[in-house]
PDB file of all heavy atoms in Angstrom:
ATOM      1  N   ASP A  65     -19.807 -26.953  16.400  1.00 83.00           N
ATOM      2  CA  ASP A  65     -20.344 -28.305  16.203  1.00 83.00           C
ATOM      3  C   ASP A  65     -20.130 -29.173  17.447  1.00 83.00           C
ATOM      4  O   ASP A  65     -21.032 -29.906  17.859  1.00 83.00           O
ATOM      5  CB  ASP A  65     -19.689 -28.980  14.996  1.00 83.00           C
ATOM      6  CG  ASP A  65     -20.078 -28.347  13.671  1.00 83.00           C
ATOM      7  OD1 ASP A  65     -21.109 -27.632  13.631  1.00 83.00           O
ATOM      8  OD2 ASP A  65     -19.356 -28.563  12.684  1.00 83.00           O
ATOM      9  N   ILE A  66     -18.974 -29.074  18.024  1.00 79.00           N
ATOM     10  CA  ILE A  66     -18.688 -29.841  19.241  1.00 79.00           C
ATOM     11  C   ILE A  66     -19.606 -29.381  20.365  1.00 79.00           C
ATOM     12  O   ILE A  66     -20.199 -30.199  21.079  1.00 79.00           O
ATOM     13  CB  ILE A  66     -17.198 -29.696  19.644  1.00 79.00           C
ATOM     14  CG1 ILE A  66     -16.305 -30.362  18.591  1.00 79.00           C
ATOM     15  CG2 ILE A  66     -16.942 -30.280  21.022  1.00 79.00           C
ATOM     16  CD1 ILE A  66     -14.832 -30.041  18.730  1.00 79.00           C
ATOM     17  N   ALA A  67     -19.731 -28.082  20.530  1.00 81.00           N
ATOM     18  CA  ALA A  67     -20.603 -27.530  21.573  1.00 81.00           C
ATOM     19  C   ALA A  67     -22.039 -28.001  21.377  1.00 81.00           C
ATOM     20  O   ALA A  67     -22.699 -28.422  22.342  1.00 81.00           O
ATOM     21  CB  ALA A  67     -20.539 -26.008  21.568  1.00 81.00           C
ATOM     22  N   ARG A  68     -22.511 -27.966  20.152  1.00 86.00           N
ATOM     23  CA  ARG A  68     -23.881 -28.407  19.868  1.00 86.00           C
ATOM     24  C   ARG A  68     -24.038 -29.895  20.204  1.00 86.00           C
ATOM     25  O   ARG A  68     -25.028 -30.295  20.809  1.00 86.00           O
ATOM     26  CB  ARG A  68     -24.222 -28.148  18.406  1.00 86.00           C
ATOM     27  CG  ARG A  68     -25.682 -28.487  18.072  1.00 86.00           C
ATOM     28  CD  ARG A  68     -26.041 -28.265  16.606  1.00 86.00           C
ATOM     29  NE  ARG A  68     -25.214 -29.098  15.747  1.00 86.00           N
ATOM     30  CZ  ARG A  68     -24.318 -28.637  14.866  1.00 86.00           C
ATOM     31  NH1 ARG A  68     -24.144 -27.344  14.704  1.00 86.00           N
ATOM     32  NH2 ARG A  68     -23.617 -29.455  14.123  1.00 86.00           N
ATOM     33  N   ASP A  69     -23.029 -30.703  19.851  1.00 85.00           N
ATOM     34  CA  ASP A  69     -23.107 -32.145  20.113  1.00 85.00           C
ATOM     35  C   ASP A  69     -23.210 -32.469  21.602  1.00 85.00           C
ATOM     36  O   ASP A  69     -23.831 -33.451  21.978  1.00 85.00           O
ATOM     37  CB  ASP A  69     -21.894 -32.870  19.521  1.00 85.00           C
ATOM     38  CG  ASP A  69     -21.929 -32.946  18.007  1.00 85.00           C
ATOM     39  OD1 ASP A  69     -22.985 -32.633  17.406  1.00 85.00           O
ATOM     40  OD2 ASP A  69     -20.889 -33.318  17.420  1.00 85.00           O
ATOM     41  N   VAL A  70     -22.584 -31.654  22.439  1.00 82.00           N
ATOM     42  CA  VAL A  70     -22.617 -31.920  23.879  1.00 82.00           C
ATOM     43  C   VAL A  70     -23.612 -31.024  24.621  1.00 82.00           C
ATOM     44  O   VAL A  70     -23.727 -31.108  25.840  1.00 82.00           O
ATOM     45  CB  VAL A  70     -21.212 -31.823  24.527  1.00 82.00           C
ATOM     46  CG1 VAL A  70     -20.300 -32.886  23.972  1.00 82.00           C
ATOM     47  CG2 VAL A  70     -20.613 -30.453  24.364  1.00 82.00           C
ATOM     48  N   GLY A  71     -24.319 -30.175  23.886  1.00 89.00           N
ATOM     49  CA  GLY A  71     -25.385 -29.377  24.474  1.00 89.00           C
ATOM     50  C   GLY A  71     -24.929 -28.196  25.316  1.00 89.00           C
ATOM     51  O   GLY A  71     -25.562 -27.872  26.316  1.00 89.00           O
ATOM     52  N   VAL A  72     -23.823 -27.568  24.903  1.00 87.00           N
ATOM     53  CA  VAL A  72     -23.356 -26.376  25.610  1.00 87.00           C
ATOM     54  C   VAL A  72     -23.084 -25.266  24.602  1.00 87.00           C
ATOM     55  O   VAL A  72     -23.060 -25.500  23.395  1.00 87.00           O
ATOM     56  CB  VAL A  72     -22.080 -26.652  26.453  1.00 87.00           C
ATOM     57  CG1 VAL A  72     -22.349 -27.693  27.526  1.00 87.00           C
ATOM     58  CG2 VAL A  72     -20.917 -27.058  25.582  1.00 87.00           C
ATOM     59  N   ASP A  73     -22.846 -24.083  25.119  1.00 87.00           N
ATOM     60  CA  ASP A  73     -22.508 -22.950  24.266  1.00 87.00           C
ATOM     61  C   ASP A  73     -21.030 -23.040  23.883  1.00 87.00           C
ATOM     62  O   ASP A  73     -20.187 -23.423  24.694  1.00 87.00           O
ATOM     63  CB  ASP A  73     -22.789 -21.649  25.037  1.00 87.00           C
ATOM     64  CG  ASP A  73     -22.637 -20.442  24.143  1.00 87.00           C
ATOM     65  OD1 ASP A  73     -23.579 -20.125  23.398  1.00 87.00           O
ATOM     66  OD2 ASP A  73     -21.541 -19.834  24.203  1.00 87.00           O
ATOM     67  N   ALA A  74     -20.708 -22.664  22.657  1.00 84.00           N
ATOM     68  CA  ALA A  74     -19.320 -22.701  22.186  1.00 84.00           C
ATOM     69  C   ALA A  74     -18.409 -21.830  23.042  1.00 84.00           C
ATOM     70  O   ALA A  74     -17.228 -22.142  23.235  1.00 84.00           O
ATOM     71  CB  ALA A  74     -19.250 -22.269  20.722  1.00 84.00           C
ATOM     72  N   ALA A  75     -18.949 -20.758  23.591  1.00 87.00           N
ATOM     73  CA  ALA A  75     -18.147 -19.877  24.441  1.00 87.00           C
ATOM     74  C   ALA A  75     -17.665 -20.621  25.695  1.00 87.00           C
ATOM     75  O   ALA A  75     -16.567 -20.349  26.197  1.00 87.00           O
ATOM     76  CB  ALA A  75     -18.951 -18.638  24.829  1.00 87.00           C
ATOM     77  N   LEU A  76     -18.466 -21.546  26.183  1.00 86.00           N
ATOM     78  CA  LEU A  76     -18.073 -22.309  27.362  1.00 86.00           C
ATOM     79  C   LEU A  76     -16.866 -23.202  27.051  1.00 86.00           C
ATOM     80  O   LEU A  76     -15.928 -23.293  27.851  1.00 86.00           O
ATOM     81  CB  LEU A  76     -19.245 -23.169  27.849  1.00 86.00           C
ATOM     82  CG  LEU A  76     -19.023 -23.940  29.139  1.00 86.00           C
ATOM     83  CD1 LEU A  76     -18.784 -22.986  30.307  1.00 86.00           C
ATOM     84  CD2 LEU A  76     -20.217 -24.833  29.420  1.00 86.00           C
ATOM     85  N   ILE A  77     -16.873 -23.818  25.892  1.00 84.00           N
ATOM     86  CA  ILE A  77     -15.735 -24.647  25.488  1.00 84.00           C
ATOM     87  C   ILE A  77     -14.495 -23.768  25.333  1.00 84.00           C
ATOM     88  O   ILE A  77     -13.415 -24.115  25.799  1.00 84.00           O
ATOM     89  CB  ILE A  77     -16.054 -25.422  24.187  1.00 84.00           C
ATOM     90  CG1 ILE A  77     -17.132 -26.460  24.462  1.00 84.00           C
ATOM     91  CG2 ILE A  77     -14.796 -26.091  23.643  1.00 84.00           C
ATOM     92  CD1 ILE A  77     -17.593 -27.223  23.251  1.00 84.00           C
ATOM     93  N   SER A  78     -14.665 -22.630  24.701  1.00 85.00           N
ATOM     94  CA  SER A  78     -13.533 -21.711  24.533  1.00 85.00           C
ATOM     95  C   SER A  78     -13.010 -21.235  25.877  1.00 85.00           C
ATOM     96  O   SER A  78     -11.798 -21.106  26.063  1.00 85.00           O
ATOM     97  CB  SER A  78     -13.943 -20.508  23.684  1.00 85.00           C
ATOM     98  OG  SER A  78     -14.226 -20.923  22.370  1.00 85.00           O
ATOM     99  N   ARG A  79     -13.919 -21.002  26.814  1.00 86.00           N
ATOM    100  CA  ARG A  79     -13.494 -20.532  28.136  1.00 86.00           C
ATOM    101  C   ARG A  79     -12.628 -21.568  28.842  1.00 86.00           C
ATOM    102  O   ARG A  79     -11.631 -21.251  29.466  1.00 86.00           O
ATOM    103  CB  ARG A  79     -14.717 -20.206  28.980  1.00 86.00           C
ATOM    104  CG  ARG A  79     -14.359 -19.755  30.367  1.00 86.00           C
ATOM    105  CD  ARG A  79     -15.584 -19.326  31.138  1.00 86.00           C
ATOM    106  NE  ARG A  79     -15.184 -18.972  32.492  1.00 86.00           N
ATOM    107  CZ  ARG A  79     -15.923 -19.212  33.532  1.00 86.00           C
ATOM    108  NH1 ARG A  79     -17.111 -19.771  33.396  1.00 86.00           N
ATOM    109  NH2 ARG A  79     -15.512 -18.862  34.728  1.00 86.00           N
ATOM    110  N   TYR A  80     -13.029 -22.830  28.756  1.00 85.00           N
ATOM    111  CA  TYR A  80     -12.306 -23.887  29.477  1.00 85.00           C
ATOM    112  C   TYR A  80     -11.090 -24.421  28.720  1.00 85.00           C
ATOM    113  O   TYR A  80     -10.123 -24.844  29.328  1.00 85.00           O
ATOM    114  CB  TYR A  80     -13.245 -25.041  29.821  1.00 85.00           C
ATOM    115  CG  TYR A  80     -14.107 -24.722  31.010  1.00 85.00           C
ATOM    116  CD1 TYR A  80     -15.409 -24.264  30.843  1.00 85.00           C
ATOM    117  CD2 TYR A  80     -13.614 -24.844  32.309  1.00 85.00           C
ATOM    118  CE1 TYR A  80     -16.204 -23.956  31.935  1.00 85.00           C
ATOM    119  CE2 TYR A  80     -14.398 -24.531  33.400  1.00 85.00           C
ATOM    120  CZ  TYR A  80     -15.688 -24.102  33.205  1.00 85.00           C
ATOM    121  OH  TYR A  80     -16.460 -23.783  34.290  1.00 85.00           O
ATOM    122  N   PHE A  81     -11.175 -24.428  27.401  1.00 87.00           N
ATOM    123  CA  PHE A  81     -10.096 -25.046  26.630  1.00 87.00           C
ATOM    124  C   PHE A  81      -9.311 -24.063  25.772  1.00 87.00           C
ATOM    125  O   PHE A  81      -8.228 -24.403  25.299  1.00 87.00           O
ATOM    126  CB  PHE A  81     -10.658 -26.161  25.737  1.00 87.00           C
ATOM    127  CG  PHE A  81     -11.237 -27.286  26.526  1.00 87.00           C
ATOM    128  CD1 PHE A  81     -12.611 -27.414  26.674  1.00 87.00           C
ATOM    129  CD2 PHE A  81     -10.423 -28.228  27.139  1.00 87.00           C
ATOM    130  CE1 PHE A  81     -13.150 -28.452  27.407  1.00 87.00           C
ATOM    131  CE2 PHE A  81     -10.953 -29.272  27.876  1.00 87.00           C
ATOM    132  CZ  PHE A  81     -12.327 -29.379  28.010  1.00 87.00           C
ATOM    133  N   GLY A  82      -9.831 -22.904  25.538  1.00 83.00           N
ATOM    134  CA  GLY A  82      -9.134 -21.937  24.690  1.00 83.00           C
ATOM    135  C   GLY A  82      -9.387 -22.242  23.227  1.00 83.00           C
ATOM    136  O   GLY A  82     -10.502 -22.141  22.746  1.00 83.00           O
ATOM    137  N   SER A  83      -8.368 -22.653  22.540  1.00 84.00           N
ATOM    138  CA  SER A  83      -8.462 -22.874  21.098  1.00 84.00           C
ATOM    139  C   SER A  83      -8.846 -24.315  20.759  1.00 84.00           C
ATOM    140  O   SER A  83      -8.889 -25.186  21.634  1.00 84.00           O
ATOM    141  CB  SER A  83      -7.107 -22.565  20.457  1.00 84.00           C
ATOM    142  OG  SER A  83      -6.154 -23.543  20.885  1.00 84.00           O
ATOM    143  N   LYS A  84      -9.075 -24.557  19.474  1.00 83.00           N
ATOM    144  CA  LYS A  84      -9.325 -25.933  19.006  1.00 83.00           C
ATOM    145  C   LYS A  84      -8.119 -26.818  19.291  1.00 83.00           C
ATOM    146  O   LYS A  84      -8.274 -27.977  19.675  1.00 83.00           O
ATOM    147  CB  LYS A  84      -9.629 -25.941  17.501  1.00 83.00           C
ATOM    148  CG  LYS A  84     -10.982 -25.406  17.135  1.00 83.00           C
ATOM    149  CD  LYS A  84     -11.314 -25.649  15.675  1.00 83.00           C
ATOM    150  CE  LYS A  84     -10.420 -24.849  14.766  1.00 83.00           C
ATOM    151  NZ  LYS A  84     -10.806 -24.937  13.350  1.00 83.00           N
ATOM    152  N   ASP A  85      -6.932 -26.245  19.128  1.00 84.00           N
ATOM    153  CA  ASP A  85      -5.715 -27.012  19.411  1.00 84.00           C
ATOM    154  C   ASP A  85      -5.664 -27.434  20.875  1.00 84.00           C
ATOM    155  O   ASP A  85      -5.322 -28.580  21.194  1.00 84.00           O
ATOM    156  CB  ASP A  85      -4.466 -26.208  19.066  1.00 84.00           C
ATOM    157  CG  ASP A  85      -4.294 -26.000  17.571  1.00 84.00           C
ATOM    158  OD1 ASP A  85      -5.044 -26.620  16.780  1.00 84.00           O
ATOM    159  OD2 ASP A  85      -3.400 -25.207  17.191  1.00 84.00           O
ATOM    160  N   ASP A  86      -6.018 -26.518  21.767  1.00 85.00           N
ATOM    161  CA  ASP A  86      -6.008 -26.831  23.196  1.00 85.00           C
ATOM    162  C   ASP A  86      -7.058 -27.896  23.535  1.00 85.00           C
ATOM    163  O   ASP A  86      -6.825 -28.759  24.384  1.00 85.00           O
ATOM    164  CB  ASP A  86      -6.252 -25.580  24.028  1.00 85.00           C
ATOM    165  CG  ASP A  86      -5.116 -24.574  23.922  1.00 85.00           C
ATOM    166  OD1 ASP A  86      -3.977 -24.985  23.622  1.00 85.00           O
ATOM    167  OD2 ASP A  86      -5.377 -23.370  24.133  1.00 85.00           O
ATOM    168  N   LEU A  87      -8.188 -27.837  22.872  1.00 84.00           N
ATOM    169  CA  LEU A  87      -9.222 -28.853  23.072  1.00 84.00           C
ATOM    170  C   LEU A  87      -8.722 -30.217  22.585  1.00 84.00           C
ATOM    171  O   LEU A  87      -8.921 -31.235  23.252  1.00 84.00           O
ATOM    172  CB  LEU A  87     -10.504 -28.458  22.331  1.00 84.00           C
ATOM    173  CG  LEU A  87     -11.663 -29.454  22.400  1.00 84.00           C
ATOM    174  CD1 LEU A  87     -12.102 -29.685  23.840  1.00 84.00           C
ATOM    175  CD2 LEU A  87     -12.840 -28.948  21.556  1.00 84.00           C
ATOM    176  N   PHE A  88      -8.028 -30.227  21.458  1.00 82.00           N
ATOM    177  CA  PHE A  88      -7.488 -31.475  20.921  1.00 82.00           C
ATOM    178  C   PHE A  88      -6.436 -32.057  21.876  1.00 82.00           C
ATOM    179  O   PHE A  88      -6.428 -33.255  22.150  1.00 82.00           O
ATOM    180  CB  PHE A  88      -6.896 -31.245  19.529  1.00 82.00           C
ATOM    181  CG  PHE A  88      -6.439 -32.506  18.847  1.00 82.00           C
ATOM    182  CD1 PHE A  88      -7.339 -33.500  18.521  1.00 82.00           C
ATOM    183  CD2 PHE A  88      -5.107 -32.684  18.536  1.00 82.00           C
ATOM    184  CE1 PHE A  88      -6.926 -34.667  17.891  1.00 82.00           C
ATOM    185  CE2 PHE A  88      -4.677 -33.846  17.908  1.00 82.00           C
ATOM    186  CZ  PHE A  88      -5.586 -34.836  17.588  1.00 82.00           C
ATOM    187  N   VAL A  89      -5.573 -31.213  22.405  1.00 82.00           N
ATOM    188  CA  VAL A  89      -4.557 -31.668  23.366  1.00 82.00           C
ATOM    189  C   VAL A  89      -5.245 -32.241  24.609  1.00 82.00           C
ATOM    190  O   VAL A  89      -4.818 -33.271  25.145  1.00 82.00           O
ATOM    191  CB  VAL A  89      -3.576 -30.526  23.727  1.00 82.00           C
ATOM    192  CG1 VAL A  89      -2.711 -30.893  24.924  1.00 82.00           C
ATOM    193  CG2 VAL A  89      -2.715 -30.187  22.528  1.00 82.00           C
ATOM    194  N   ALA A  90      -6.312 -31.610  25.066  1.00 84.00           N
ATOM    195  CA  ALA A  90      -7.049 -32.125  26.224  1.00 84.00           C
ATOM    196  C   ALA A  90      -7.648 -33.498  25.913  1.00 84.00           C
ATOM    197  O   ALA A  90      -7.649 -34.390  26.771  1.00 84.00           O
ATOM    198  CB  ALA A  90      -8.144 -31.139  26.634  1.00 84.00           C
ATOM    199  N   ALA A  91      -8.141 -33.673  24.688  1.00 81.00           N
ATOM    200  CA  ALA A  91      -8.666 -34.986  24.291  1.00 81.00           C
ATOM    201  C   ALA A  91      -7.545 -36.023  24.302  1.00 81.00           C
ATOM    202  O   ALA A  91      -7.725 -37.148  24.781  1.00 81.00           O
ATOM    203  CB  ALA A  91      -9.308 -34.905  22.912  1.00 81.00           C
ATOM    204  N   LEU A  92      -6.373 -35.658  23.806  1.00 80.00           N
ATOM    205  CA  LEU A  92      -5.230 -36.579  23.826  1.00 80.00           C
ATOM    206  C   LEU A  92      -4.829 -36.915  25.259  1.00 80.00           C
ATOM    207  O   LEU A  92      -4.535 -38.075  25.579  1.00 80.00           O
ATOM    208  CB  LEU A  92      -4.032 -35.969  23.089  1.00 80.00           C
ATOM    209  CG  LEU A  92      -4.160 -35.824  21.583  1.00 80.00           C
ATOM    210  CD1 LEU A  92      -2.977 -35.040  21.030  1.00 80.00           C
ATOM    211  CD2 LEU A  92      -4.261 -37.185  20.919  1.00 80.00           C
ATOM    212  N   ASP A  93      -4.834 -35.909  26.110  1.00 79.00           N
ATOM    213  CA  ASP A  93      -4.443 -36.118  27.504  1.00 79.00           C
ATOM    214  C   ASP A  93      -5.426 -37.015  28.247  1.00 79.00           C
ATOM    215  O   ASP A  93      -5.064 -37.618  29.262  1.00 79.00           O
ATOM    216  CB  ASP A  93      -4.305 -34.784  28.235  1.00 79.00           C
ATOM    217  CG  ASP A  93      -3.078 -33.994  27.799  1.00 79.00           C
ATOM    218  OD1 ASP A  93      -2.191 -34.572  27.134  1.00 79.00           O
ATOM    219  OD2 ASP A  93      -3.013 -32.789  28.119  1.00 79.00           O
ATOM    220  N   SER A  94      -6.653 -37.097  27.753  1.00 79.00           N
ATOM    221  CA  SER A  94      -7.656 -37.940  28.419  1.00 79.00           C
ATOM    222  C   SER A  94      -7.477 -39.422  28.084  1.00 79.00           C
ATOM    223  O   SER A  94      -8.088 -40.275  28.710  1.00 79.00           O
ATOM    224  CB  SER A  94      -9.068 -37.493  28.021  1.00 79.00           C
ATOM    225  OG  SER A  94      -9.370 -37.900  26.690  1.00 79.00           O
TER     226      SER A  94
END
Side-chain angles (χ1 to χ4, degrees):
D65 291 341
I66 293 168
R68 185 181 60 245
D69 288 349
V70 296
V72 298
D73 188 82
L76 185 63
I77 292 176
S78 294
R79 178 175 177 216
Y80 282 98
F81 296 103
S83 68
K84 287 189 293 187
D85 291 351
D86 293 335
L87 178 60
F88 186 63
V89 168
L92 291 173
D93 288 346
S94 74

